[in-house]
Structures are given as structure tokens and as C-alpha cells.
Amino acid sequence: MPASPSSPSSSSSRKPLLISAGVALAAVTLGLVSWQATAPEDSSPRSSSASSPEAPEAGSATDPAAQLKALARRESGDKLAAGPADAPVVLIEYSDFKCGYCGKFARDTEPELVKKYVEDGTLRIEWRNFPIFGADSEAAAKAAWAAGQQDRFAQFHAAAYAEGAKEKGFGAERLTELAREAGVPDLERFTKDMAGEQAAAALAKDQEEGYRIGVTSTPSFLINGQPIAGAQPPAAFDAAIAKAKAQAAAK
């Protein structure tokens, strides 16, 4: 699939991040499977490392898979999550509202995952706002967070990823329109939250996490620490979830 041209705009997205040897190896693993993900043409790795480290033992403190799996926050009050905090499988999604393949996943695959796995308690989905396509992407991410403060993240997420939504842009008026469509009850609070320091801090936290493990394209996923990149067919997610569930049950 071709990549969509663009450049990350925020200063935090451009600075290289020093990461541990174990996570560096995990970042390489994630990069190796990112061939189908959307990325800016001029994007470059946001991590630096020296020579490749020796592979650590599975389950050790420096085990990349264990470190990636530990990124699941499992916070019961997380406004950008769906499913029980103690679900055996956690899918972490790094996405951008201007990313066409993120929209494809949100429309074609994600609803089925919710129906099949979230509703029966098998799966928890934790969304990470990871805007890489400029100011509009960042504004939409903050708006999604603000909608979430009024328990309308999922509805805003669906509205912003609807067919043709990203072509209308994510200017201030458009974001308010999406919030109204999502059923956000207090639009004045929504506007204030979107422009506030908490929204900026939440966005920075998600971005830093993604860059730290080597995410440079969207959508990118972790399923119990196993990287999956791009809008893969539903069967790929079914297989990964089944494997992760079986591994969790065996422990």
C-alpha cells in the first residue's frame, strides 16, 4: 500500500529519543512489520541505538515482548479504552485521525473486534492518539480526548473516522460539529478541555510512548506485546487475539 506524504509538525515528534537496549530491539521488531502501515514519506526512526543487543531471555526484565506487553495501562477509569481492565488480551492502537488506513480499520475491522471479543470480556482496546500528519491531526487528537472526558470518545472516534470525514478537515468549527454529532453534552466544556493543558499532556504522553518503542507509522498495534502494523485483514487480528488468549490462559 502506498504511503501518504506528510511531515510530523510538533517539536516533540522530531526529537530523537534515547531508549533502552531491550526496547530498541522491540522497536526494530515493530519496524520490520510496518510495511503495510501508513507513514509520511520523509519519516525517520525516532530512536537511536548502537549495535544490536543480544536477544534477552523471554520473561526477563529486558525482554522486549514483556516490555511491550507492560505498556497496557489497564486503568479502570481510562476514557480512551473499552473492555474490562482485567481482560486477558489488550490491544493497544496507535492511530491518527487523518490516516486513511486508520479509518479503514475503524470502519471495517474494529467494530467486529468489539462485538466478538470486547463484549465477552476477552479483549480490552486502549487507544493512543498518535498524530503524525500535522496540526489538524493534533487538533483532532485533542478533540477526541476532550470528548472522552464526557464519555463520548467512542462516538467521536466513529464520527471522525466515518467515510469522507477526514476530507472535510479538522478545523475548530468542524471539530465542534463532530462533537455535536458524537453527542458530547457540554460543548463549551469540550472547547475548553480541547485547548487545555491536560489535553496537551495526554497527547504528549501517548506520542512519547509511541516514539519510544519505534512507532513511525499508523495504524500500529500491540496485542499483548505482539506488534501488528497496518490495516491488516480481520483474520490477522483474530489469530493474534486467539494466540494471546491461549498464552494468557497457559500462565
Side-chain angles (χ1 to χ4, degrees), residues 182-195:
V184 174
D186 188 340
L187 293 178
E188 184 175 346
R189 177 191 169 187
F190 166 79
T191 300
K192 182 179 179 180
D193 285 346
M194 181 171 55

Side-chain angles (χ1 to χ4, degrees), residues 69-118:
K69 185 177 180 180
L71 292 175
R73 295 170 187 171
R74 294 185 179 274
E75 298 169 357
S76 59
D78 191 342
K79 301 290 189 178
L80 273 65
D86 61 351
V89 183
V90 179
L91 182 154
I92 301 174
E93 174 186 348
Y94 300 88
S95 58
D96 183 319
F97 284 104
K98 289 194 71 177
C99 161
Y101 294 128
C102 296
K104 178 177 174 59
F105 174 79
R107 292 188 300 272
D108 298 346
T109 304
E110 195 166 72
E112 289 302 312
L113 296 183
V114 170
K115 185 176 180 180
K116 290 169 66 176
Y117 304 113
V118 174

Side-chain angles (χ1 to χ4, degrees), residues 5 12 28 48 113 121 126 134 146 161 167 172 175 179 198 231-232 250:
S12 65
V28 171
S48 60
L113 296 183
E126 296 185 357
Y161 278 132
E167 283 74 20
L175 291 173
Q198 283 186 295
Q232 302 288 342

